[in-house]
Amino acid sequence: MRTNVGFSRRIGVSEADNACMLVLGLMSGTSADGIDVALARIGGAPPRLNAKLLAHTSSKFPPALRKEILRVAEQQPISAGELSQLNFRLGEVFANAALAACKTFRISPRKVALLGSHGQTIFHQGRAVRYFGRPTASTLQIGEPSVIAARIGITTIGDFRPGDTALGGQGAPLVPYADYLLYRDVQLGRVSLNLGGIANITVIPAGAKPSQVFAFDTGPANILIDALVSYFTRGRKRFDQNAAVAQTGRSLPALVDELMRDPYLRLAPPKSTGREYYGQAYIQKVLALGRRHRAYPADLIRVATIFTALSVADALHRFVLPKTKIRQLVVSGGGAKNPLLMAQLAAALGGIEILPSASFGIPEEAKEAFAFALMAYETFHQRPSNVPSATGARGRAILGKICYAPPL
Ligand SMILES: Nc1ncnc2c1ncn2[C@@H]1O[C@H](COP(=O)(O)OP(=O)(O)O)[C@@H](O)[C@H]1O
Ligand SMILES: [Mg+2]
């Protein structure tokens, strides 16, 4: 990828400091399905930032830890002591994922200059709500970056979101920085769609300046489908592989219509969401609706898949297409592998070409991890990487906290 965009201002970093470096990016999203690891070679500085994805892989969470992550992300009680322990233990899990990835990539960690770790979100309140008498927004990602830096000897940057939230932003989405660098086109308006647990879009009008980019979470992506599959199989299955179950169900349009009345879909951007809204309480409501419509499990999983696609299309029709000409939709995230989801999306977005992010050199499962490698590189060079028009922040922020590798 070679970019030619004046995205950010350099702050006191000499040209030599922008020499190529190998950077690892670690990502675990709302699905908590595993840790995606990307290795990128990055050099230069905007307007001539040079970044190439060299390799990517992923590793699983130990099952008991995954259960605990999901429990905590559902806002179930946890003591301060247990939270502290979970933070450090996850730091170790992330460090192990990075080490395993280096082995797979056949590269010594000593050759890697920097690592960016998103961490595991366990709470996200992007929009301020009243707390002890004052409007307060906050976001919390855990997986202690100091532990990662110490275990693998690579300077690690974590905690990317709070810097944006502290400036009044939602702290999300952050991927628009990478989306802009990857997908901006002088002539084509593009939307980047990531189908993780939650679906988010970045809108990049033709020839856009950074300030013309906007982005938001459209609603659920895999979170609803995954929860239903896990519920109906009593945890034996985690997701509907290749839509095998949904393909056998009935569509039940009336039930889809009821789901489309979700007030989140009408909320104007900037907006972001997560398990706090699309969590167990929401799933219980969907299950109750399913019972009322006499839906079989496969019907409900099909309905959830259709609803997910329609909620993304609705966001585009409601908030994007009336004011921006869009020719292409570039899709990444695990949901890109769900054929029913993709077919429904294509049907609802006639006239827009749908492309996998792989056609831009970044495989669907590696996009977000790559983005955090890129943001770590920018932070290391003291450059901002939030996109205020996407998050709603008052200004630009140099994101994250740097945990230096121990001296040799
Ligand atoms: N072959 C597939 N068929 C259907 N769904 C898939 C497939 N592969 C991945 N997924 C979905 O993608 C999800 C993971 O996507 P990911 O982008 O990692 O999300 P997150 O960022 O929330 O971790 C899985 O939980 C699953 O629902
Ligand atoms: Mg994932």
Side-chain angles (χ1 to χ4, degrees), residues 29-31 33 196-197 222 226 239-242 333-335 337-338 368:
T30 337
S31 307
D33 58 318
N222 297 294
D226 286 4
F239 68 106
D240 186 16
Q241 190 158 14
N242 304 331
K337 305 230 170 80
N338 183 317
E368 294 212 311

Side-chain angles (χ1 to χ4, degrees), residues 21 57 74 96 101 108 160 162 164 221 233 263 279 288 351 354 357 361 365 368-369 378 385 407:
M21 49 166 77
T57 183
E74 279 289 342
N96 289 340
S108 159
F160 288 85
D164 181 85
T233 64
I354 300 186
S357 64
E365 61 276 25
E368 294 212 311
E378 289 298 79
S385 60

Side-chain angles (χ1 to χ4, degrees), residues 243-315:
V245 179
Q247 301 281 20
T248 67
R250 296 172 297 161
S251 296
L252 308 182
L255 183 45
V256 175
D257 286 349
E258 285 210 44
L259 290 176
M260 288 299 290
R261 281 189 212 131
D262 182 346
Y264 180 80
L265 307 189
R266 288 195 296 273
L267 203 65
K271 58 177 176 177
S272 52
T273 189
R275 277 191 196 279
E276 302 73 25
Y277 183 83
Y278 292 107
Q280 273 311 311
Y282 176 82
I283 303 302
Q284 289 307 324
K285 267 195 241 162
V286 174
L287 287 168
L289 271 179
R291 282 192 290 273
R292 230 188 301 139
H293 286 258
R294 300 183 188 289
Y296 291 110
D299 299 342
L300 205 48
I301 290 164
R302 184 181 184 89
V303 163
T305 309
I306 296 171
F307 161 61
T308 299
L310 292 186
S311 67
V312 172
D314 178 73

Side-chain angles (χ1 to χ4, degrees), residues 99-260:
L99 282 178
C102 285
K103 229 181 193 169
T104 307
F105 303 156
R106 293 174 191 280
I107 183 161
S108 159
R110 258 176 287 168
K111 296 224 162 96
V112 179
L114 192 62
L115 186 152
S117 174
H118 172 267
Q120 185 66 48
T121 296
I122 54 164
F123 184 70
H124 182 74
Q125 177 64 53
R127 209 171 270 237
V129 292
R130 243 182 141 63
Y131 178 71
F132 281 93
R134 291 272 303 142
T136 306
S138 73
T139 185
L140 184 57
Q141 287 71 42
I142 60 171
E144 183 50 52
S146 305
V147 173
I148 304 175
R151 289 284 185 283
I152 62 178
I154 300 175
T155 292
T156 296
I157 302 180
D159 270 336
F160 288 85
R161 298 194 188 274
D164 181 85
T165 308
L167 282 176
Q170 297 258 331
L174 295 184
V175 174
Y177 188 77
D179 285 339
Y180 183 77
L181 295 169
L182 285 168
Y183 305 135
R184 178 186 182 271
D185 189 273
V186 180
Q187 280 163 15
L188 291 185
R190 288 188 175 129
V191 168
S192 163
L193 166 67
N194 191 72
L195 295 167
I198 297 295
N200 67 270
I201 58 170
T202 304
V203 183
I204 311 152
K209 294 194 211 87
S211 61
Q212 292 168 315
V213 172
F214 64 104
F216 58 95
D217 290 347
T218 61
N222 297 294
I223 197 167
L224 176 56
I225 305 168
D226 286 4
L228 292 173
V229 170
S230 172
Y231 175 83
F232 288 126
T233 64
R234 297 203 168 82
R236 270 179 288 119
K237 286 195 175 157
R238 269 197 316 96
F239 68 106
D240 186 16
Q241 190 158 14
N242 304 331
V245 179
Q247 301 281 20
T248 67
R250 296 172 297 161
S251 296
L252 308 182
L255 183 45
V256 175
D257 286 349
E258 285 210 44
L259 290 176
M260 288 299 290

Side-chain angles (χ1 to χ4, degrees), residues 75-87:
Q75 309 311 304
Q76 296 299 311
I78 184 167
S79 70
E82 287 166 328
L83 183 56
S84 173
Q85 294 286 79
L86 184 61
N87 181 38

